[in-house]
Amino acid sequence: MTATQHPTTAPGEGADLDARTKTLDRSHVFHSWSAQGALDPMVVAGGLGCHVWDHAGNRYLDFSSQLVNVNIGHQHPKVVAAIQAQAAQLATIAPATANLTRGEAARRITDRAPEGLNKVFFTNGGADANENAVRMARLHTGRDKVISTYRSYHGNTGAAVVATGDWRRVPNEYARGHVHVFGPYLYRSEFWATTPEEESERALQHLRRVVESEGASSVAAVLLETIPGTAGIMVPPPGYLAGVRELCDKHGIVMILDEVMAGFGRSGEWFALDAFSELDGHGPDLITFAKGVNSGYVPVGGVLISDAIAADFDETVFPGGLTYSGHPLAAASIIGALDAMEEEGIVANARRIGAEAIGPGLAELAEKHPVVGEVRGLGVFWAVELVADRDSRAPVPPALIGLAKKECMARGLLPFAADNRLHVVPPCVVTDDEVAEAMAVYDDVLTILDREI
């Protein structure tokens, strides 16, 4: 299979536009998380559903969902129409005003949230959602410290990037009061666990000891991704999230669940926490979201706030705000996206296709290919962990991940690669046929990698 053509321009014109795009990019665009001189980004000129293409018409099946955010697929007509209609009516408004579109967007989010979270503070994206959640927790408790995990990513703003556990926090550690722990990850257990139950129990004991050692009365919040995403799509073992909730309750600590990547269909549920019955009726105090709430069509994020924390600011001013908080175009895109997802059964499709197509397909690949150490996930949120040796579980070197990405692209598949993993994260609207097409590509590429280890 090779990248197929999607006719968008006259013969020859598309290649010229791709070349001009790259020239302008190299000359004037500064890219995130990159050494600028080494960049050679792919050109994306258009998209529809689960596909994107460049100006020359080279077409790719998008199993990255860009940054794991295009949950409803590219150019969904109902979301596009909602943005267009709002732009024609009112393109922008100050956040201090009341606006019907903003209110309707907030209601659609709270209607799907756990009981007792009835207010939404809108932000521009996931990083500043986490930033403001941390601020709310500190103001609510009068405490300073925030505990998060080493295997995590919470965004690239002051507190969010330091709450992040991976390497990106290290050059950016200017925020105060952050403490890190190891969360559960049975495949590479820090706790010598051999079962999910042991991993959960020992990870919770580790967290308890850190809370006690830091001084529970100094801890404002425990901030966790419900399902860590960029760090490896590690579904928490049974009892872990409920144990964190119990620990937070015992010490008056705010529990924040970061659902920026895992929420709004990605896990096969409206919120990933809905996949864990152990949390039923005992959810977090704050939930942060972005990405899937409108599939990134307009920048937006937010914090779902418990009634108890929201009440703190009934008589006291909340010391935070953003010029574009609750921007009407973003709010319209949320309404369009969530209504379409409801009407078209898109969340249910993500749940079904994970259970019936992606999960079984990846399990077959794991049986067949020695380079696969583990597959894990749910919904349209999966990771394939690649190893040089199954016994030692040594990760494959970066060069092999680069090779995997190159070979996927050559076969018309746009992958998501992170560390020693391929993340299988298509839009929630992906079909069985598209999953089968992707599995065939992964099979080819893993065969190549098998020969390299």
Side-chain angles (χ1 to χ4, degrees):
M1 187 190 311
T2 59
T4 55
Q5 297 292 308
H6 190 283
T8 56
T9 56
E13 182 182 355
D16 291 342
L17 287 173
D18 285 337
R20 174 166 173 75
T21 300
K22 289 199 172 190
T23 297
L24 290 170
D25 188 272
R26 282 192 297 269
S27 299
H28 304 296
V29 178
F30 194 94
H31 286 261
S32 56
W33 309 122
S34 301
Q36 306 301 304
L39 288 173
D40 184 24
M42 71 174 292
V43 173
V44 178
L48 186 65
C50 294
H51 290 85
V52 295
W53 52 84
D54 60 18
H55 291 284
N58 296 303
R59 190 168 180 262
Y60 301 89
L61 181 59
D62 186 358
F63 261 53
S64 70
S65 296
Q66 297 303 291
L67 281 177
V68 199
N69 64 325
V70 188
N71 291 11
I72 205 168
H74 295 274
Q75 297 302 110
H76 193 290
K78 292 179 181 176
V79 186
V80 172
I83 297 168
Q84 290 171 331
Q86 183 62 45
Q89 179 181 352
L90 181 67
T92 192
I93 195 70
T97 63
N99 178 262
L100 179 61
T101 306
R102 183 188 298 148
E104 292 284 6
R107 182 183 64 81
R108 281 162 172 77
I109 295 167
T110 58
D111 280 353
R112 294 172 170 89
E115 185 177 352
L117 286 85
N118 293 300
K119 291 285 184 72
V120 177
F121 177 72
F122 285 110
T123 65
N124 300 328
D128 47 355
N130 285 317
E131 198 80 28
N132 282 280
V134 165
R135 180 181 302 177
M136 291 174 188
R138 285 172 165 164
L139 292 169
H140 179 69
T141 61
R143 304 171 183 177
D144 192 44
K145 292 177 183 173
V146 176
I147 297 177
S148 53
T149 65
Y150 282 108
R151 296 186 181 95
S152 67
Y153 180 71
H154 296 291
N156 186 34
T157 52
V161 76
V162 183
T164 290
D166 70 29
W167 66 270
R168 285 171 285 192
R169 82 178 191 283
V170 177
N172 293 296
E173 289 181 308
Y174 303 112
R176 69 173 195 267
H178 289 271
V179 179
H180 291 86
V181 297
F182 287 104
Y185 179 20
L186 182 58
Y187 187 70
R188 299 189 183 280
S189 177
E190 303 291 339
F191 312 110
W192 297 277
T194 57
T195 68
E197 292 75 18
E198 284 184 348
E199 184 74 359
S200 180
E201 179 184 353
R202 295 175 186 185
L204 283 170
Q205 176 61 14
H206 169 60
L207 176 60
R208 288 188 198 101
R209 290 295 297 127
V210 171
V211 168
E212 292 165 358
S213 299
E214 290 293 332
S217 62
S218 72
V219 178
V222 173
L223 168 61
L224 302 173
E225 292 173 273
T226 310
I227 302 172
T230 304
I233 311 182
M234 296 169 290
V235 180
Y240 181 74
L241 292 176
V244 174
R245 174 73 276 179
E246 182 180 356
L247 181 66
C248 289
D249 287 342
K250 178 179 178 180
H251 296 293
I253 297 168
V254 172
M255 182 180 182
I256 307 171
L257 287 185
D258 176 345
E259 295 244 352
V260 170
M261 187 175 286
F264 294 99
R266 177 61 49 189
S267 64
E269 306 288 345
W270 285 106
F271 288 96
L273 61 89
D274 294 333
F276 302 93
S277 59
E278 65 196 61
L279 283 177
D280 187 28
H282 305 281
D285 302 292
L286 300 169
I287 300 173
T288 59
F289 64 87
K291 290 185 185 288
V293 73
N294 71 338
S295 290
Y297 283 34
V298 178
V300 72
V303 186
L304 266 160
I305 310 167
S306 69
D307 296 342
I309 293 178
D312 289 351
F313 305 103
D314 286 346
E315 305 297 332
T316 301
V317 173
F318 175 63
L322 299 155
T323 299
Y324 302 117
S325 176
H327 192 284
L329 295 184
S333 69
I334 291 171
I335 295 170
L338 298 189
D339 285 358
M341 292 175 81
E342 183 77 57
E343 293 161 5
E344 298 173 18
I346 290 172
V347 175
N349 182 69
R351 186 188 312 119
R352 180 198 66 79
I353 210 145
E356 298 180 6
I358 299 177
L362 292 179
E364 288 183 14
L365 294 179
E367 286 290 325
K368 181 177 179 181
H369 295 285
V371 74
V372 177
E374 183 181 58
V375 298
R376 53 184 179 264
L378 71 172
V380 286
F381 204 28
W382 292 80
V384 180
E385 182 141 356
L386 303 178
V387 294
D389 176 76
R390 280 186 171 178
D391 292 332
S392 69
R393 300 183 180 182
V396 296
L400 258 65
I401 295 297
L403 176 62
K405 185 174 181 179
K406 175 184 175 182
E407 295 295 339
C408 284
M409 296 279 289
R411 290 162 174 77
L413 181 74
L414 180 56
F416 188 106
D419 294 330
N420 66 311
R421 302 177 305 274
L422 293 175
H423 290 190
V424 180
V425 286
C428 300
V429 296
V430 69
T431 67
D432 292 85
D433 287 344
E434 288 167 336
V435 171
E437 180 183 345
M439 292 298 160
V441 172
Y442 291 132
D443 192 12
D444 286 350
V445 172
L446 293 172
T447 298
I448 294 170
L449 297 188
D450 285 338
R451 295 196 293 264
E452 298 291 328
I453 62 173

